[in-house]
Amino acid sequence: MKRIIAFITVFTILVTNLPSYAQDSASIVPTVLKRLSLSYDLNTLYPKDLDNVYFNGGAVGYNMDFRISESKPLYIGTGLDLHMVTRSKTYYQDEQYNLVNIKQRTTFINMNVPVDISLRIPLYHNLTFTPFAGLNFRIQIYGHNRNRIQAGADSSQLEGILDRMELGPADGNLFSEKDYGDAHLNRFQMGWHAGIRLQYRHISLQASYGSDFVKLHRNLGSSNLIISVGYTL
């Protein structure tokens, strides 16, 4: 929360004390900016009292920024991003079974709707620098756990082994109370994000970080570090 307050404070100072050269250049900036993006997504889950869990994946997105000030290059933006992240881990059980290996693959697919405010600062000719911050609304479309025996036992023993190892069903819907009881996840999250974008002509490079305050589960926090390449239409 302190980092959010600090960023908003700095952002406000930038807006209110924008250099005159940037204000003069703002008049030639389009009133609407449309951008396609391709992203890498490092999604980190924070289980209570357990080690962090890391997912890797990507995203495609379409975003629009609307200019809201005549005197400054200030924009409010929104869009739609489709994310997919995965994680694979091998679990070993050698207490009741002889070197049984279970490979678990977890996949999430979700839609994200960001709403943010940004300041498009001209640096040199066609080069611009844009800090931004805002809220993120996420709907989980798909969340699935897949457990399979890799070695040490016959596949007919899978259900019993998974029960003893407490890994859930062989194929589980992570949002299903039937599959995971009280540990099932919520489909809707809400959080904050902040980042920067560097654009030259139509091509942009962007980095952002954010975390959720409406969580996947009361005992499971989440954050995203996203690196994007974009093309402004």
Side-chain angles (χ1 to χ4, degrees), residues 44-95:
T44 305
L45 301 185
Y46 305 97
K48 185 178 181 180
D49 301 324
L50 296 172
D51 293 336
N52 295 345
V53 180
Y54 300 95
F55 288 75
N56 290 277
V60 293
Y62 176 76
N63 300 87
M64 299 180 67
D65 296 324
F66 303 90
R67 189 174 173 187
I68 57 175
S69 172
E70 294 184 358
S71 61
K72 295 179 175 65
L74 192 63
Y75 289 78
I76 187 167
T78 188
L80 181 64
D81 303 317
L82 181 65
H83 290 245
M84 177 177 175
V85 294
T86 63
R87 171 183 180 262
S88 294
K89 182 175 181 179
T90 301
Y91 293 88
Y92 302 92
Q93 169 63 277
D94 57 6
E95 294 178 0

Side-chain angles (χ1 to χ4, degrees), residues 173-190:
N173 177 358
L174 292 168
F175 307 104
S176 169
E177 187 174 0
K178 177 182 177 182
D179 287 348
Y180 291 98
D182 291 339
H184 77 280
L185 305 180
N186 302 315
R187 286 193 179 271
F188 174 77
Q189 288 84 56
M190 179 179 176

Side-chain angles (χ1 to χ4, degrees), residues 1-180:
M1 182 60 69
K2 292 181 179 178
R3 286 181 293 181
I4 303 174
I5 296 173
F7 185 90
I8 294 174
T9 301
V10 172
F11 194 85
T12 303
I13 293 173
L14 281 173
V15 172
T16 56
N17 296 279
L18 188 64
S20 58
Y21 75 86
Q23 295 184 36
D24 294 339
S25 302
S27 60
I28 64 173
V29 177
T31 55
V32 180
L33 297 170
K34 303 175 183 179
R35 185 175 60 261
L36 298 172
S37 63
L38 183 65
S39 307
Y40 164 75
D41 185 357
L42 174 61
N43 178 210
T44 305
L45 301 185
Y46 305 97
K48 185 178 181 180
D49 301 324
L50 296 172
D51 293 336
N52 295 345
V53 180
Y54 300 95
F55 288 75
N56 290 277
V60 293
Y62 176 76
N63 300 87
M64 299 180 67
D65 296 324
F66 303 90
R67 189 174 173 187
I68 57 175
S69 172
E70 294 184 358
S71 61
K72 295 179 175 65
L74 192 63
Y75 289 78
I76 187 167
T78 188
L80 181 64
D81 303 317
L82 181 65
H83 290 245
M84 177 177 175
V85 294
T86 63
R87 171 183 180 262
S88 294
K89 182 175 181 179
T90 301
Y91 293 88
Y92 302 92
Q93 169 63 277
D94 57 6
E95 294 178 0
Q96 300 181 32
Y97 298 90
N98 184 24
L99 297 177
V100 174
N101 298 349
I102 301 291
K103 185 174 183 180
Q104 182 182 82
R105 181 175 176 84
T106 307
T107 303
F108 287 100
I109 299 176
N110 53 67
M111 288 192 307
N112 293 262
V113 178
V115 178
D116 53 46
I117 187 169
S118 62
L119 182 65
R120 193 172 188 266
I121 305 173
L123 297 179
Y124 180 77
H125 292 299
N126 295 307
L127 182 65
T128 59
F129 172 74
T130 304
F132 59 90
L135 298 176
N136 193 64
F137 304 88
R138 180 181 303 112
I139 297 177
Q140 299 286 349
I141 302 173
Y142 177 83
H144 184 262
N145 254 349
R146 182 179 187 271
N147 295 294
R148 293 294 185 271
I149 293 177
Q150 294 293 101
D154 187 83
S155 59
S156 62
Q157 299 175 281
L158 178 60
E159 185 175 343
I161 295 172
L162 292 176
D163 286 343
R164 290 177 175 84
M165 297 177 70
E166 298 182 348
L167 292 178
D171 289 279
N173 177 358
L174 292 168
F175 307 104
S176 169
E177 187 174 0
K178 177 182 177 182
D179 287 348
Y180 291 98

